[in-house]
Amino acid sequence: MTAWSIAIFLLALGPASFPSRSQITHQACEEGWSFIAEWTGVPLSHILTVVGVRAQAKYVVFFPFDESWDSLDMPDAWHPQTLLAYGMNGEELPTPHGAPVRLRVARQLGI
């Protein structure tokens, strides 16, 4: 894991060990494009467990580097294929695909 990804996790959670896994998934968009890629990252469900999400939580809210934000409902957040991906196709995640870390929700279009 690179230094920047460790810093992101340490700022959010404190010292901890995070499992890494890879999965090959198809990504499709409503605009008509699609591709298949291998994504490597930390299951979001593991991070939610470590931080102790309350049972009444309905959404996880994400604030990226720019001034935008997005949210994810809890069924998708807990899904085993939802990753905080830092790798793609055996390499570090490239900038055009969301580096340094991208939320990857395999069950949704274009994410």
Side-chain angles (χ1 to χ4, degrees):
M1 192 177 282
T2 61
W4 56 261
S5 59
I6 292 171
I8 290 169
F9 290 132
L10 290 178
L11 286 172
L13 305 173
S17 176
F18 298 96
S20 176
R21 54 174 247 178
S22 294
Q23 62 192 28
I24 297 173
T25 54
H26 175 257
Q27 180 160 343
C29 181
E30 342 180 281
E31 296 174 348
W33 56 263
S34 69
F35 65 93
I36 296 173
E38 178 186 39
W39 301 92
T40 302
V42 177
L44 181 57
S45 60
H46 179 79
I47 293 174
L48 297 177
T49 299
V50 170
V51 300
V53 173
R54 294 182 182 170
Q56 59 267 50
K58 304 286 184 212
Y59 301 94
V60 178
V61 178
F62 298 89
F63 297 92
F65 292 116
D66 59 19
E67 295 182 19
S68 66
W69 64 275
D70 205 347
S71 63
L72 186 64
D73 66 24
M74 296 311 288
D76 277 337
W78 285 110
H79 193 275
Q81 285 187 306
T82 300
L83 295 177
L84 289 180
Y86 54 81
M88 181 179 171
N89 297 327
E91 312 245 339
E92 286 190 10
L93 188 66
T95 301
H97 289 280
V101 177
R102 173 192 184 137
L103 175 64
R104 178 72 183 108
V105 185
R107 300 185 336 156
Q108 292 187 359
L109 291 175
I111 295 184

